[in-house]
Amino acid sequence: MAFTLGFHIVLASLGVAFPAMMLIANYRGLRRADPDALLLAQRWSKVAAVTFAVGAVTGTVLSFEFGLLWPAFTSRFGDVFGVLFAIEGIFFFLEAIFFAIYIYGWKRLSPWAHFWTGVPIAVTGLGGAFSVVAVNSWMNQPQGFTPSSGDVTKVEPLKVIFNRAVPYEVPHMILAAYLVTGFLIASVYAVGMLRGRRDRYHRLGLLIPLTVAAIVTPIQFAVGDTAARSIADDQPVKFAAMECVQKTATHVTEYLGGRCTSSGVKGGIGIPGFDSFLVGWSTDTQVTGLDSVAPDDRPPANTMLHLSFDAMVGICTALIGLGLWLGIAWWRKRDIPQTKWFLRATAVSGVAAVVALECGWIVTEVGRQPWIVYEFMRTEDAVTQASGVWVTFSVVMALYTVLGAALVVTLRVMARRWREVEVEEDDVPYGPRPGGSPTVVSGAQ
Amino acid sequence: MSSADASAGVLWVGVTFYAVFGGADFGGGFWALVAGGGEAGRRPRDLIDAAIGTVWEANHVWLIFVLVVLWTAFPTAFGSIFSTLFIPLSLAALGIVLRGSGFAFHATARRLAGRQLAQRLFGVSSLLTPFFMGTVVGAVASGRVPVGNAKGDPVSSWLNPVSLLVGALFVATCAYLAAVFLVSEARRAGAADLERYFTVRALGAAVVAGVVGVAGIVVLHSDARYLYDRLTHEGLPLVIISVLCGAGVLVALRRRATRGVRPLAVGAVVAVLWGWGVAQYPYLLPEKLKIADGAAPSATLTALLIVFGVAVVLVLPSIALLFTLGQRSLIEETKRPKPTQ
Ligand code: HDD
Ligand code: HEM
Ligand code: HEM
């Protein structure tokens, strides 16, 4: 699950935010009669189609895994969190339908009608993200069901849907999706520009997503900060493991980096009292430590948790810096910064954002261990009793590796083809295809 | 009707849609595989691509719908089925991955060297996925899934005559549905040669599905008596409707009728499905778990039914829009076989 999810989450983020980027380009293209923007929108819609399809496949596998890997979890709590997935189902449906209309509608629908068929994709992406992440939030802050042990007999769906972690986890994930998508797309065009393709098309391809990402990143920082403060209250053990706080205390030191050992952080930079300050705006604030629960109720791999959290925050900070760079240059010269260093920074920002995304999931998931449903069900009790599922699991791993590779290769081939054939017939975004009768299509082959 | 029964009904509606749309989709992959990778098979393959391209994604969301409704409304049955039948279900999931990626990559990367491989993957997994799903259905229907976490036999639960026959029936049905749909597609594209091509195949698949179906009933008699008895009593009217529809399809195809073939073919499949539903009622897992006993708390069921209501209002019109735009060629795959002159 962890592996397939780690894979899915990247594609899911693209599925949530890519349509918005493509619509922005489409809007700009129509409004300003800008052929470069239209061409971008059209190509992005093709890329989004591929990633969406692979995202759908990996998502379907996830739903199988609920039964294949976690039958006890689903048997006991399926009736509690299931409604959220049912809601998500509606969003998926609509997303898939309008995606199909938009992608296949470029040639025949009127330009603005076509644009509007794309809008539901972006909206449903948000709705879908809400529903799934709300399930994860519920696993962190379970509520809305009784009794607390044994079979659930009473459910309060609204309490499940709007659980305590939703207000910070859902916005955090949605912003993460926008930010990852923005930096990823921008990084592709940054690489192109570094290789000397500095035409307007490439600059626009960099500017649109990077602007979106630059706006989103500082907001993400604020939301993440709120999340951290909230889990210090709601999920104190997770927080203690992230910050490697062994004993409940006041005036707790904040460490950046370092290894987590049973006697505190080794290595790393310490700022005395700062952890307490961050939690409660005063160094007198008491921070709950790992010693508040029995050893086998504590999360594993604290060093990894601690470093993941630091990496997420650090990368977010660096990305804010990149956004500022762009903002200042734009404000002064109405152009993207001209130095190669800016392009290099943008080129790595995509990978960095993905790393932050994965780190975030490590924090929220591994930090919850040993619980699958916080304080209600342990992961070891959720798992299937069938022996031999590890075979399935290994096959799936191998398959995903191939899938990932195939995805990258395909996208690269698409890009190369677009570069080689400067103006292909396909590249006229709107209008009837030259010389084709409605059903006959001249030769892609 | 209780809300548990209503939820079971919703589940069955999902199963029906998946069987028809997903089934036709799998069948398309099957015929693409049979057509082969060479030049000779290109026209049928192009027609299949054009027919599936715009809708395959939406078709497969029905599967997710079914899974989600099952685990929300009937979590115990879901956990029991998935833990006992993890082998065929893993294989089906594997098929879905291969198929989806095969399709995504062959459709977008037409000129890739790996295109043939993608196509082959798409075809083979279109064959295997419905087969394994059929074995799962056979296992459930013949009462081989006990309640609990992996309490049933991981192998004999699905490697048995009923399961294998149902698996074969699924494949044949998919092929049959797809061929019938493709006859209409070929007509719409004005390709008379392809119309003939798929008419022959639709007839063949119909006969095979019929034979497998009859064999299935014989096996049920000895192997799954509960289901057999109910199918031949409570479910009998639906079984008869199915047979009549199937016969109607044969006649209509032979006469090259332009109307009615698709509804009849769909009718045959839907009637059999609901026949099975009626035969299983009131059990989720025959003779082991009743719908009422396996159902979620009532607030969950109510919420689920509300969500379903919203889905009907929002999703069905959207699907209709998608199919209508497709039929009017306002949206299309970029490639479709040329009409024959
Ligand atoms: C950021 C939001 C997000 C997250 C955390 C997840 N997903 Fe996802 N998922 C999406 C956002 C998304 C999406 C953007 O809506 C996708 C991506 C491509 C697509 O088809 O929809 C999708 C696809 C997708 C599909 C296929 C839908 C289709 O065929 O259209 C399923 C069944 C799931 N997901 C299920 C899950 C499960 C069970 C998850 C966690 C346990 C999960 N997703 C995490
Ligand atoms: C309701 C749905 C979910 C369930 C049932 C679930 C369950 C679990 C469990 C049991 C683990 C621990 C696995 C192990 O110890 O090997 C885990 C880890 C993880 N999950 Fe989730 N999770 C869910 C949602 C998510 C989502 C939506 C994502 C992101 C897309 C996600 C990403 C991860 C990651 C990154 C890990 C940690 C990797 C590791 O253990 O090394 N999870 N999940
Ligand atoms: C590049 C920027 C960032 C990305 C891509 C990112 C991504 C993520 C993701 C995907 C999750 C798990 C899902 C969720 O809880 O919504 C997460 C969790 C979390 N993030 Fe971030 N994040 C970023 C920046 C930050 C910052 C700057 C902070 C704090 C100052 C932060 C604090 C947290 C906390 C505390 C959690 C755990 C929430 C929980 O388990 O309930 N994040 N992050």
Side-chain angles (χ1 to χ4, degrees):
Chain A
M1 185 110 190
F3 181 81
T4 42
L5 274 169
F7 194 94
H8 177 68
I9 191 170
V10 181
L11 294 163
S13 297
L14 291 173
V16 170
F18 217 144
M21 306 288 174
M22 133 197 134
L23 286 174
I24 294 174
N26 190 343
Y27 183 84
R28 189 188 158 110
L30 291 179
R31 251 292 133 93
R32 307 209 186 152
D34 179 342
D36 286 331
L38 277 184
L39 187 55
L40 281 172
Q42 197 200 21
R43 289 182 173 174
W44 287 352
S45 74
K46 288 187 182 167
V47 175
V50 179
T51 55
F52 184 78
V54 180
V57 169
T58 57
T60 312
V61 173
L62 281 182
S63 355
F64 272 79
E65 287 183 357
F66 273 89
L68 294 174
L69 299 181
W70 315 107
F73 166 65
T74 316
S75 292
R76 182 159 157 212
F77 289 116
D79 43 11
V80 182
F81 65 76
V83 172
L84 273 165
F85 279 111
I87 297 174
E88 184 204 28
I90 300 188
F91 288 117
F92 278 156
F93 243 129
L94 296 173
E95 192 172 358
I97 291 168
F98 284 97
F99 226 129
I101 295 180
Y102 185 83
I103 288 164
Y104 293 111
W106 273 103
K107 306 273 159 143
R108 298 282 171 68
L109 295 172
S110 82
W112 280 106
H114 175 251
F115 170 81
W116 285 107
T117 62
V119 173
I121 314 173
V123 177
T124 51
L126 295 181
F130 174 95
S131 326
V132 196
V133 180
V135 174
N136 191 260
S137 310
W138 174 84
M139 288 160 69
N140 286 331
Q141 289 290 294
Q143 63 177 44
F145 61 93
T146 42
S148 54
S149 64
D151 252 357
V152 174
T153 53
K154 188 161 172 290
V155 178
E156 295 172 81
L158 288 178
K159 281 200 177 167
V160 174
I161 297 174
F162 299 103
N163 59 70
R164 282 174 62 87
V166 158
Y168 51 94
E169 276 204 36
V170 169
H172 196 60
M173 180 66 232
I174 290 177
L175 293 171
Y178 270 80
L179 167 169
V180 164
T181 307
F183 285 116
L184 261 183
I185 305 178
S187 67
V188 171
Y189 291 92
V191 171
M193 288 174 75
L194 280 172
R195 295 196 181 146
R197 292 187 286 274
R198 294 189 172 233
D199 46 17
R200 184 165 175 283
Y201 169 83
H202 275 83
R203 299 213 329 223
L204 204 57
L206 183 141
L207 191 58
I208 293 175
L210 195 58
T211 308
V212 174
I215 294 169
V216 163
T217 316
I219 309 176
Q220 174 75 331
F221 197 95
V223 174
D225 180 58
T226 313
R229 231 182 294 289
S230 310
I231 67 167
D233 280 341
D234 294 350
Q235 308 172 56
V237 184
K238 181 188 276 183
F239 188 80
M242 270 153 55
E243 298 285 19
C244 193
V245 182
Q246 296 295 334
K247 292 198 172 53
T248 305
T250 59
H251 301 276
V252 177
T253 307
E254 167 82 29
Y255 285 97
L256 304 180
R259 272 179 309 116
C260 185
T261 69
S262 52
S263 54
V265 176
K266 291 274 161 347
I269 309 162
I271 311 173
F274 197 53
D275 198 36
S276 289
F277 182 79
L278 285 177
V279 172
W281 303 122
S282 151
T283 51
D284 290 334
T285 313
Q286 173 166 315
V287 179
T288 309
L290 289 166
D291 63 347
S292 62
V293 293
D296 54 335
D297 282 352
R298 298 177 195 163
N302 290 356
T303 301
M304 176 173 86
L305 273 173
H306 178 62
L307 292 180
S308 297
F309 183 64
D310 282 0
M312 173 164 65
V313 179
I315 290 172
C316 193
T317 313
L319 293 175
I320 292 177
L322 181 63
L324 279 178
W325 192 351
L326 173 71
I328 292 172
W330 190 259
W331 177 53
R332 293 191 15 211
K333 298 200 215 116
R334 300 277 127 192
D335 200 356
I336 57 175
Q338 292 301 328
T339 99
K340 277 210 159 160
W341 282 106
F342 175 77
L343 294 178
R344 288 190 186 124
T346 309
V348 293
S349 69
V351 176
V354 172
V355 172
L357 181 78
E358 301 286 358
C359 285
W361 277 109
I362 291 176
V363 171
T364 193
E365 297 289 327
V366 182
R368 190 183 56 234
Q369 302 306 317
W371 303 101
I372 188 167
V373 181
Y374 187 54
E375 294 184 330
F376 285 95
M377 185 182 223
R378 284 174 174 273
T379 307
E380 70 213 33
D381 299 329
V383 66
T384 181
Q385 297 296 318
S387 50
V389 274
W390 63 270
V391 179
T392 330
F393 186 69
S394 333
V395 174
V396 169
M397 293 265 271
L399 209 68
Y400 270 52
T401 313
V402 176
L403 192 59
L407 180 62
V408 173
V409 170
T410 308
L411 294 180
R412 292 191 59 140
V413 169
M414 280 165 79
R416 184 161 2 109
R417 202 152 74 204
W418 285 332
R419 277 202 302 279
E420 280 163 4
V421 193
E422 267 308 322
V423 185
E424 54 187 284
E425 157 211 35
D426 244 12
D427 282 349
V428 186
Y430 287 117
R433 206 171 289 115
S437 82
T439 48
V440 188
V441 171
S442 44
Q445 305 280 307
Chain B
M1 186 163 56
S2 70
S3 56
D5 285 349
S7 301
V10 167
L11 179 68
W12 224 245
V13 170
V15 169
T16 307
F17 274 100
Y18 186 53
V20 173
F21 291 119
D25 212 291
F26 284 126
F30 173 81
W31 291 121
L33 180 71
V34 173
E39 198 47 30
R42 209 178 97 202
R43 279 175 64 78
R45 277 203 321 271
D46 285 354
L47 184 75
I48 293 165
D49 275 2
I52 295 182
T54 47
V55 292
W56 83 272
E57 191 102 43
N59 287 349
H60 284 277
V61 185
W62 288 111
L63 172 63
I64 316 228
F65 176 89
V66 169
L67 294 180
V68 169
V69 172
L70 184 60
W71 87 51
T72 308
F74 308 106
T76 317
F78 178 83
S80 309
I81 294 172
F82 269 73
S83 54
T84 289
L85 295 169
F86 76 97
I87 296 175
L89 282 164
S90 299
L91 291 169
L94 192 82
I96 288 170
V97 177
L98 289 177
R99 196 182 125 86
S101 27
F103 193 79
F105 296 142
H106 101 275
T108 44
R110 286 211 178 85
R111 279 164 273 183
L112 268 184
R115 181 180 124 219
Q116 290 243 342
L117 177 72
Q119 249 160 10
R120 186 98 1 114
L121 276 181
F122 178 67
V124 173
S125 47
S126 298
L127 178 71
L128 292 182
T129 311
F131 175 76
F132 287 118
M133 288 183 175
T135 62
V136 169
V137 166
V140 172
S142 58
R144 288 186 159 93
V145 178
V147 175
N149 188 345
K151 288 281 151 49
D153 190 306
V155 177
S156 71
S157 57
W158 63 283
L159 266 186
N160 59 65
V162 178
S163 290
L164 295 178
L165 265 171
V166 177
L169 184 64
F170 268 41
V171 174
T173 310
C174 291
Y176 156 71
L177 271 177
V180 170
F181 286 160
L182 285 165
V183 171
S184 306
E185 286 293 323
R187 187 173 303 131
R188 203 157 62 82
D193 58 330
L194 290 177
E195 202 181 323
R196 270 192 307 281
Y197 180 97
F198 283 111
T199 303
V200 174
R201 281 160 182 75
L203 285 170
V207 171
V208 172
V211 171
V212 177
V214 172
I217 291 187
V218 174
V219 174
L220 280 184
H221 179 78
S222 62
D223 199 15
R225 201 49 196 260
Y226 174 82
L227 199 71
Y228 176 83
D229 288 346
R230 308 269 317 204
L231 262 182
T232 47
H233 292 91
E234 286 84 346
L236 193 60
L238 286 161
V239 175
I240 292 176
I241 293 179
S242 174
V243 172
L244 289 180
C245 286
V249 173
L250 289 181
V251 174
L253 277 177
R254 298 215 48 157
R255 296 211 177 140
R256 304 205 177 281
T258 49
R259 271 159 204 281
V261 188
R262 278 185 293 179
L264 279 174
V266 171
V269 174
V270 173
V272 140
L273 267 179
W274 284 80
W276 168 40
V278 167
Q280 271 217 192
Y281 189 83
Y283 286 104
L284 287 168
L285 303 174
E287 301 186 275
K288 304 222 159 58
L289 182 67
K290 287 197 169 154
I291 291 177
D293 302 333
S298 63
T300 299
L301 298 178
T302 309
L304 189 68
L305 292 173
I306 294 175
V307 172
F308 179 71
V310 174
V312 169
V313 173
L314 287 179
V315 174
L316 287 189
S318 309
I319 295 186
L321 177 69
L322 174 65
F323 278 87
T324 315
L325 290 176
Q327 292 288 320
R328 296 210 185 135
S329 304
L330 281 170
I331 53 170
E332 58 175 356
E333 260 279 27
T334 40
K335 190 178 60 153
R336 184 182 285 173
K338 294 189 173 72
T340 37
Q341 255 67 49

